[in-house]
Amino acid sequence: MARPDQKLLDELRQLRDQINHHSRLYYVEDNPSISDAEYDRLFDRLLQIEKQYPQLVTPDSPSQRVGATPSKKFEPLPHRIPMLSLQKVTSFEEFIEFDRRVKEGLETTEEVEYITEPKLDGLAVELVYENGMLVRGSTRGDGVTGENITPNLRTIRSIPLRLSDSCSSKYPLLEVRGEVIMRRPDFERLNEALIAQNQAPLANTRNGAAGSLRQLNPSVTASRPLIFYAYGISDTDLEGLDRQSAAVDLLRKEGFRINDRTRLVRGSGQVEERFKALAGDRERLDYEIDGMVVKVDRFDSQIMLGQISRAPRWAVAWKFAAEQAETVLEDVIFSVGRTGVITPVARLKPVRVSGVTVSNASLHNEDELRRLDARIGDTVIVQRAGDVIPEVVDIVPGKRPGEATQVVFPSKCPSCGTKIVRPEGEAAHRCLNMACPAQLEGRLIHFAAKGGLDIDGLGDKLARQLIKANLVKDPSDLFYLEKDQLLPLDLMADKKASNLIEAINRSRQTELPKVIYALGVVGVGEAAARLLAEHFVSFEKLEKTSLDELTHIDGIGPVIAANIFEYFRNEGNRVMLDRMRRGGLALPNYQRTGGTGVLGGKTFVITGTLSKPRNHFKNLIEQEGGKVAGSVSAKTDYLLAGVDAGSKLDKAKKLGIAIIDEDQFKQLLA
Ligand code: IVH
């Protein structure tokens, strides 16, 4: 291999510095100082040198953004500190209530300092910098574990590959969080290009960002115009960083893009002013936002406030009111849900509402249909509120054409033909035939969904096929399927059949909340399923519970309690559950935290590099009744410290907290 001389090494270093400088001006500050051609010249020269001397290519070289080898699939990557979600408010009154709870939690009557930021509508990611180098990047995933998309994130020009020396020596581990977005004009251009290549266009800018980022081939990501906005760091106990605003300042200095509508304010009045200003700006922005995130600025206050389930008590998303649009009602169909409810669904002339093309919208039920008196051909107003299914909220009577036809609610189930009933006191019409194929399809999809048993590959198409071929009459049949039975199905290749059988196998080992959710009891979503698992710990106890006990669980209302009780009394359900057990579905006990194990009530913080992933130790601690916190505070009982423990170790020493290594941890368990 040729040996580079000092002159060349100097040139290379200068080139990289120059390129980094100019790409920051261009991609982060939107303020380029040289022409594109000039920039390309620098870049070409860099590539030329690196081609000649491959030994000089470093992972932080600007050339490394272009995209490395494609990966087969994304590896799971646990977040050292979970990425939380946000509670929502939709009005000033609700925000005041949030502010009141914050003050109560902080035991203060003084106005609180908040940082307000636009709520960007893209994909949340985490970037891990070790000794200043970008080493890993992942999606948020379920908040605990994300997908490793490091090569893809490296292609985004507004993500620094390397931090300054002063930053990296002070913070050898820095986890930066933020949102990857796609601007609207870029999105439209991309869609035009996709259509021209005969590919499916993307639904909205969020999908544009997510779809571009989750490409298996990073060079596809590299070709997509993505932007990363940093909005925080994972740790709240880093030396010299005592506030969100200080963290944001540091990130800005390190070359991250910080949204220019980020503000530090005091008290709910100023928060409201910011909300109004942002709502006014919304139309003018060339990227989508769906509200404003308000965070308590001081980290010690954040720690004091803590979190409830998956959301912090110190932050809230104040969402914009739903957007509306006018369009034409082309037809009404009646869909049968997994619980037998018949919902009239409006088929609309496609229209864009808050960044999404809407062509179906709910008309809820017969009463609503009557109230609206919506007729085919009518001009209607549709509304989308956040992630909720779009709905028709009104019609425009003045625009009714002469030949508008009335909509008749059916008397028979459109799927199985059974007579539809409207139970007394209910707004919904239902098909009560448990064997109705449409219901079964819904139940099966719910059972296999991510929050349920998470059976990869079992979507609506396959569910329909399995039912039609009489292979599945209820979800328990899944556990008895054999590959040979699948092969005759349409478009079922050998590989696909094996994958499905494997996915079903995997689903036999799951967690209690997921099983409870998967059953699809009306009203029992993921949150209620978790509450039930926490309360009953074992599936057997839940099955045998009394209505009285259910009604007394915090967070479970009387209607849901009754649904759960009825579910387990139903003979058909019992037979099905029994078949699932015999088919190998494990019903493990819930791993309760804060319980009575040998570590009962103890709080741990884990830091540094250990012999196994952190989650391993976290699981052990939680199994024994302990808790794992993200940061060291006076409430910490033990710091489990591995190699290269950084600031947490210092802090624990300062606070006089017991510091243990892996061996001592094993002794504690013994
Ligand atoms: S902070 C506890 N800041 O909102 C802090 N999130 O529900 C949680 N998001 O998936 C995140 N803009 O993708 C934060 N300025 C912002 C945000 C933001 C958008 C998204 C993020 C996350 C979701 C949280």
Side-chain angles (χ1 to χ4, degrees), residues 491-530:
L491 295 176
M492 180 61 71
D494 192 87
K495 177 93 182 129
K496 198 167 154 196
S498 311
N499 285 348
L500 181 65
I501 296 290
E502 227 174 79
I504 293 172
N505 269 339
R506 272 199 305 273
S507 79
R508 288 187 166 95
Q509 305 299 326
T510 181
E511 294 155 31
L512 188 56
K514 292 187 162 232
V515 179
I516 300 175
Y517 172 84
L519 299 180
V521 180
V522 180
V524 179
E526 287 182 78
R530 189 164 292 278

Side-chain angles (χ1 to χ4, degrees), residues 62 113 352 418 425 485 539 544 553:
E113 280 184 298
R352 276 187 94 71
T418 307
Q485 296 175 297
F539 193 81
K544 294 197 190 105
I553 301 173

Side-chain angles (χ1 to χ4, degrees), residues 11-12 15-16 18-19 36-52 61-63 66 157:
E11 184 191 351
L12 185 64
L15 267 174
R16 287 180 180 157
Q18 275 177 306
I19 293 172
D36 290 2
E38 181 71 1
Y39 181 85
D40 290 345
R41 203 187 54 74
L42 294 173
F43 212 99
D44 287 344
R45 175 67 185 139
L46 172 72
L47 293 180
Q48 190 189 11
I49 297 176
E50 290 187 345
K51 206 166 145 197
Q52 201 178 351
S61 168
S63 64
V66 189
R157 304 307 214 279

Side-chain angles (χ1 to χ4, degrees), residues 536-556:
F536 291 103
V537 184
S538 85
F539 193 81
E540 289 68 31
K541 288 221 178 86
L542 167 65
E543 271 179 310
K544 294 197 190 105
T545 180
S546 67
L547 185 56
D548 190 54
E549 179 164 12
L550 284 164
T551 339
H552 281 92
I553 301 173
D554 222 12
I556 304 284

Side-chain angles (χ1 to χ4, degrees), residues 320-338:
F320 293 133
E323 261 188 52
Q324 300 188 333
E326 249 182 54
T327 187
V328 175
L329 179 63
E330 294 183 330
D331 197 6
V332 175
I333 58 146
F334 293 86
S335 98
V336 188
R338 71 180 157 86

Side-chain angles (χ1 to χ4, degrees), residues 84-98:
L84 302 175
S85 60
L86 289 167
Q87 346 168 26
K88 290 179 189 63
V89 297
T90 50
S91 66
F92 185 47
E93 288 68 41
E94 284 176 22
F95 180 76
I96 291 191
E97 184 48 31
F98 166 82

Side-chain angles (χ1 to χ4, degrees), residues 63-289:
S63 64
Q64 295 309 293
R65 293 192 186 270
V66 189
T69 30
S71 61
K72 301 272 174 304
K73 71 174 184 19
F74 303 113
E75 296 292 321
L77 193 58
H79 302 293
R80 193 174 60 91
I81 300 174
M83 291 180 80
L84 302 175
S85 60
L86 289 167
Q87 346 168 26
K88 290 179 189 63
V89 297
T90 50
S91 66
F92 185 47
E93 288 68 41
E94 284 176 22
F95 180 76
I96 291 191
E97 184 48 31
F98 166 82
D99 180 57
R100 193 193 57 72
R101 288 195 302 269
V102 167
K103 285 182 185 156
E104 189 179 87
L106 297 176
E107 292 164 12
T108 179
T109 51
E110 265 173 51
E111 293 293 15
V112 178
E113 280 184 298
Y114 291 110
I115 200 159
T116 63
E117 304 160 2
K119 186 163 189 303
L120 304 165
D121 204 9
L123 191 73
V125 301
E126 176 171 73
L127 306 170
V128 181
Y129 291 87
E130 279 174 8
N131 300 315
M133 297 288 226
L134 174 64
V135 289
R136 282 184 299 282
S138 57
T139 61
R140 173 167 179 269
D142 64 3
V144 176
T145 307
E147 293 167 312
N148 186 342
I149 51 164
T150 313
N152 304 33
L153 287 166
R154 279 179 176 285
T155 69
I156 299 178
R157 304 307 214 279
S158 40
I159 293 181
L161 298 178
R162 178 189 196 155
L163 308 177
S164 73
D165 289 345
S166 68
C167 176
S168 59
S169 55
K170 205 156 163 199
Y171 309 116
L173 174 67
L174 193 69
E175 290 157 337
V176 179
R177 289 169 177 185
E179 195 92 349
V180 172
I181 62 151
M182 189 180 276
R183 288 175 161 150
R184 227 178 283 137
D186 289 331
F187 166 75
E188 273 149 25
R189 229 167 293 142
L190 172 63
N191 262 356
E192 277 165 26
L194 287 174
I195 292 166
Q197 293 159 28
N198 233 343
Q199 294 186 43
L202 297 155
N204 52 34
T205 53
R206 182 220 291 255
N207 290 359
S212 301
L213 209 45
R214 297 184 67 264
Q215 291 285 333
L216 290 180
N217 183 350
S219 59
V220 177
T221 310
S223 73
R224 301 280 173 87
L226 297 172
I227 296 176
F228 175 73
Y229 276 112
Y231 56 59
I233 53 177
S234 63
D235 257 301
T236 45
D237 63 350
L238 295 183
E239 191 70 40
L241 291 180
D242 58 350
R243 291 164 174 270
Q244 166 72 6
S245 47
V248 163
D249 286 343
L250 171 80
L251 294 175
R252 188 184 291 111
K253 265 217 297 275
E254 289 304 314
F256 290 92
R257 221 176 220 274
I258 303 296
N259 192 282
D260 56 3
R261 282 169 175 79
T262 302
R263 296 284 186 287
L264 183 61
V265 300
R266 181 188 286 274
S268 55
Q270 289 187 7
V271 171
E272 189 192 20
E273 275 170 39
R274 280 308 301 155
F275 183 77
K276 286 185 175 157
L278 201 59
D281 283 351
R282 189 181 184 191
E283 276 306 297
R284 250 170 289 147
L285 298 177
D286 64 358
Y287 50 88
E288 305 282 352
I289 62 175

Side-chain angles (χ1 to χ4, degrees), residues 466 471 477-489 492-502 504-505:
L466 291 172
L471 290 174
D477 290 330
L478 289 174
F479 297 116
Y480 298 86
L481 280 180
E482 278 168 27
K483 192 174 149 189
D484 290 347
Q485 296 175 297
L486 297 174
L487 290 171
L489 297 180
M492 180 61 71
D494 192 87
K495 177 93 182 129
K496 198 167 154 196
S498 311
N499 285 348
L500 181 65
I501 296 290
E502 227 174 79
I504 293 172
N505 269 339

